[in-house]
Amino acid sequence: MTTPDHQASATAPPPDSTTPIRPASWRARISWAMFDWANQPYFTVITTFIFAPYFTAKVIGNPVDGQSLWGFTQAFSAAIVALGAPFLGAIADAGGQRKPWLFVFQLQLAFGCALLWLAQPGQPQLLPLVILGLVLANIAAEYSIMFNNALLPALETPRHVGRLSGIGWGMGYVGGLIALFTVLIVSQPELIGITPPPGEALLGLKRDAFEAERVIGPAAAIWLGIFVLPMFLFTPDRPGSGRPFRDVVRDGIGRVINTIRHMRRYRNLLRFLISYMIYYDGLVAVIGFGGIYAAGIFGWGTTELGLFGIALNVIAIPAVILGGWLEDRWGSKRAVQLAILLVAFGTLGIASIGPGSVLFFIEVAPRAAGAGLFSSPGEQVFFLCAALLGLGMGTMQAASRTLVARLSPPDMVGEFFGIFALSGRATTFLAPLLIGITTAVFATQRIATIVILVFLAAGFVLLWKVEEPARP
C-alpha cells in the first residue's frame, strides 16, 4: 500500500530517472560491490579491532583515557560529516556525476590512513598528526560511502536492490576478514609455525616499536587503491550536466534548502531518517568500542582482537547475504527491526560481563596470567554475545541503505542519500561523546554499553511508524 508522502518514489520514474528497468551488467554490479571490499578493512582493522584498541591502550597508555579521547575524535569527525553530507549529495545530483567526488574522498581516505604510521607510544609530539589522520580518514570514508550508495539504485531493479546491497556488505566483510587474517599473520607469525628473528614480526617489522600495528594504516591505503579500481572502471555513473561548477553548487545548496522547507512532503522518509539517526548511533558506538572494551576488560592484545574480529566477520558474511534475501522477501523494515534486536541483545550480554563476572551477578574466575586464548568463562560468554552482533550489524546497515533507495524519489537519490548520511551522522557524535564523558566521569568502561542500549531501544521504537512502499 502506497502512502501519499512517498508516492513520488512508487510511481513510474521520470525519463531521466536512475531507476533501471533491467539490472546493469554483472561486471558493473560486482565492481560496485568491490567498493565495500576495498573500504571495509579501514573500518574492520583500524576503527574496530586492531588499531583502535592499540591507540587507546598503547599510544595513549590508559584504556579509560584512550577510550575518552577516541570518543571525542569520532564525535568531531561525525559532526563534520553531518554538516556537509546533504549539501554534497545535492550538489552531486545537480552535477550528475558521483565518481569525481568518490575519487577525491578515496584519495583523502588513503592519505589519512597513511598518517597512522606515526602512532608510536612515547612520541606525544606526533599525536596531533595521528589524530589529524583519523579525522581525515573518518570524514572521507563516510562521504565515500554516501556517493557509492547513490550509485546503487541505477544498478538493480527495485525488487532486488536489497540483494545487491547485501552482496556488497557481504563482500566488505570478506575483505575485512582477509585483512584481519593478514594482520595476525604479519604480527604473530608464530600462529602458523613461522619463527621470525627475535624482536621482529614478518617483513622485518620491529615489535618494540609496534611497527606491525602502525603499518596497518599504510597497508589499508594500498589495499584501497588496488581494489577500488573496478568500481571506477566498470560501474556506470550518471552523465554530467555540463553546467559550470558554480551553478551546480548554487543549485545543490538551493535544493537542500527547498527540501528542508518542504520536508513534510516526505513524512514517511523523515520518520525513517529520525529512527535511523538514533539506532545507527548505537550501532556505530558498539562497533567502535567493542574491541576497546574487550581490550580493557580482558587485556586482549593484537592476537586475541584479530581472532575475535575474524570470528565476528565469519558470522557476519552469511548473515548479511541472507539478510539481503530476507529483505527482498519480507521487506527492508522487518530486516532492520530483527537486526536491531540481535545487536541489542548482544550489547546487553556484553554489558553484563566484568573481569570476574558474567550476566551481572554470576561470579567466574578471571583470566589467569599466561592462560590460553579465550580460556576464561568471561571471554567465552563475550564471544557468544558478540556472535549476536555479527548476525545483526551487517543486515542493519545493508537493509537501511536499501530502505532509503526504496523510499527516495528517483530524481533526488543523491540528495536523500546525503540526508541519509546526515541522519546517520547528525547525532552520531552524541553516542561517542556521551561514552567519552561517562567513561571519564564514572571511570569505568562498562558504562559505554548502557549508552549504546539506550540508542538502540529508542531507534527501534521510532521505526514502528515507518511504512515501506509496496515493491513491484
Side-chain angles (χ1 to χ4, degrees), residues 137-424:
N138 286 336
I139 292 171
E142 294 298 333
Y143 282 152
S144 296
I145 290 171
M146 177 186 75
F147 287 114
N148 186 65
N149 286 346
L151 295 173
L152 172 61
L155 301 175
E156 185 57 275
T157 59
R159 182 170 184 82
H160 298 298
V161 71
R163 180 174 56 189
L164 179 57
S165 181
I167 290 173
W169 278 108
M171 289 184 66
Y173 281 126
V174 173
L177 179 64
I178 293 173
L180 271 173
F181 184 76
T182 303
V183 168
L184 274 183
I185 296 306
V186 170
S187 62
Q188 303 291 333
E190 298 86 355
L191 293 173
I192 58 171
I194 298 176
T195 303
E200 291 186 3
L202 286 187
L203 308 177
L205 298 171
K206 307 299 182 184
R207 293 186 191 266
D208 57 356
F210 297 96
E211 289 182 350
E213 288 79 13
R214 292 160 53 206
V215 79
I216 289 171
I222 295 171
W223 176 288
L224 177 70
I226 294 172
F227 291 113
V228 81
L229 281 177
M231 187 275 296
F232 284 110
L233 293 175
F234 304 121
T235 300
D237 197 358
R238 289 177 58 185
S241 65
R243 301 166 57 198
F245 184 70
R246 180 182 301 176
D247 293 345
V248 170
V249 172
R250 185 184 302 115
D251 187 10
I253 294 174
R255 286 187 181 200
V256 175
I257 294 173
N258 184 65
T259 299
I260 292 174
R261 286 176 177 173
H262 300 91
M263 199 66 192
R264 62 183 180 276
R265 297 177 181 175
Y266 312 100
R267 291 187 300 273
N268 193 50
L269 182 55
L270 180 60
R271 293 186 198 107
F272 167 68
L273 292 174
I274 293 173
S275 170
Y276 173 77
M277 177 175 66
I278 296 173
Y279 71 71
Y280 185 70
D281 283 8
L283 179 64
V284 168
V286 75
I287 290 174
F289 290 93
I292 294 173
Y293 185 79
I297 294 294
F298 303 119
W300 283 0
T302 300
T303 301
E304 292 89 347
L305 289 166
L307 291 173
F308 169 64
I310 288 173
L312 206 59
N313 277 267
V314 167
I315 295 169
I317 290 166
V320 73
I321 295 175
L322 175 62
W325 179 79
L326 290 176
E327 276 190 77
D328 290 337
R329 290 182 62 88
W330 296 349
S332 300
K333 175 183 169 180
R334 290 182 180 177
V336 173
Q337 288 174 320
L338 175 61
I340 293 175
L341 287 175
L342 290 170
V343 172
F345 280 116
T347 303
L348 181 62
I350 289 173
S352 74
I353 301 170
S357 64
V358 298
L359 303 179
F360 295 108
F361 307 112
I362 301 175
E363 294 186 1
V364 296
R367 182 183 183 182
L373 292 173
F374 315 121
S375 58
S376 71
E379 291 173 300
Q380 294 162 8
V381 174
F382 186 93
F383 250 95
L384 292 175
C385 296
L388 295 177
L389 302 183
L391 289 172
M393 62 186 186
T395 298
M396 188 191 302
Q397 295 174 90
S400 298
R401 173 167 67 183
T402 307
L403 198 50
V404 174
R406 285 173 169 157
L407 293 173
S408 297
D411 57 342
M412 300 174 69
V413 170
E415 180 177 352
F416 275 104
F417 267 115
I419 297 175
F420 176 59
L422 167 64
S423 67

Side-chain angles (χ1 to χ4, degrees), residues 17-40:
S17 169
T18 58
T19 304
I21 299 175
R22 287 180 292 184
S25 69
W26 68 267
R27 185 172 68 174
R29 287 176 286 161
I30 293 301
S31 297
W32 175 84
M34 285 293 294
F35 172 90
D36 285 319
W37 172 290
N39 281 255
Q40 185 62 31

Side-chain angles (χ1 to χ4, degrees), residues 25-182:
S25 69
W26 68 267
R27 185 172 68 174
R29 287 176 286 161
I30 293 301
S31 297
W32 175 84
M34 285 293 294
F35 172 90
D36 285 319
W37 172 290
N39 281 255
Q40 185 62 31
Y42 169 73
F43 297 101
T44 301
V45 180
I46 293 178
T47 67
T48 306
F49 293 112
I50 305 297
F51 187 85
Y54 162 72
F55 177 85
T56 58
K58 301 297 183 181
V59 178
I60 303 304
N62 181 297
V64 172
D65 292 341
Q67 179 171 292
S68 182
L69 178 59
W70 186 269
F72 294 140
T73 301
Q74 299 298 303
F76 177 78
S77 305
I80 298 298
V81 171
L83 290 173
F87 296 98
L88 291 179
I91 291 168
D93 275 343
Q97 294 180 310
R98 273 67 179 223
K99 283 187 180 180
W101 296 93
L102 268 169
F103 182 75
V104 170
F105 286 118
Q106 292 284 273
L107 282 179
Q108 179 179 320
L109 174 57
F111 176 71
C113 288
L115 285 178
L116 302 185
W117 169 257
L118 302 176
Q120 185 173 354
Q123 300 290 332
Q125 72 276 11
L126 297 178
L127 186 58
L129 287 175
V130 176
I131 292 176
L132 174 64
L134 286 171
V135 170
L136 289 176
N138 286 336
I139 292 171
E142 294 298 333
Y143 282 152
S144 296
I145 290 171
M146 177 186 75
F147 287 114
N148 186 65
N149 286 346
L151 295 173
L152 172 61
L155 301 175
E156 185 57 275
T157 59
R159 182 170 184 82
H160 298 298
V161 71
R163 180 174 56 189
L164 179 57
S165 181
I167 290 173
W169 278 108
M171 289 184 66
Y173 281 126
V174 173
L177 179 64
I178 293 173
L180 271 173
F181 184 76
T182 303

